[in-house]
Amino acid sequence: MGLGQKRNKLVVPEAYKAMEQFKAEVAREVGITAPPDGYWGNYSSRDCGAVGGHMVRRMIEDYERRISGGQTTQ
């Protein structure tokens, strides 16, 4: 994806660095090496989808714990 074509904007722009670290952490968990330059365009859709899917799963688990009064995983 070229510059200027990024459509996924963060709701909280200040969270950019934390989200990139989270993405790299999840990528390691699913066995994918995150690109050092941050460009994921050379990875397959399947790999990127696996990372994104696991990120969403962890965010939902964290939110469910918070609303149920349980402990978070982070």
Side-chain angles (χ1 to χ4, degrees), residues 23-45:
K23 187 187 308 181
E25 176 185 330
V26 171
R28 279 191 304 274
E29 288 177 8
V30 296
I32 299 168
T33 304
D37 62 356
Y39 179 68
W40 288 82
N42 295 326
Y43 288 79
S44 69
S45 295

Side-chain angles (χ1 to χ4, degrees), residues 1-15:
M1 179 181 293
L3 296 174
Q5 294 180 3
K6 185 171 182 177
R7 297 177 191 179
N8 297 329
K9 306 258 189 255
L10 291 177
V11 176
V12 181
E14 297 81 14

Side-chain angles (χ1 to χ4, degrees), residues 22 25-26 29 53-63 65 73-74:
F22 179 47
E25 176 185 330
V26 171
E29 288 177 8
H54 281 79
M55 287 175 70
V56 170
R57 182 175 298 123
R58 284 196 31 201
M59 286 186 269
I60 290 171
E61 287 173 3
D62 182 55
Y63 184 76
R65 281 189 185 90
T73 59
Q74 297 179 1

Side-chain angles (χ1 to χ4, degrees), residues 61-72:
E61 287 173 3
D62 182 55
Y63 184 76
E64 287 176 346
R65 281 189 185 90
R66 288 174 190 239
I67 64 173
S68 69
Q71 296 294 319
T72 62

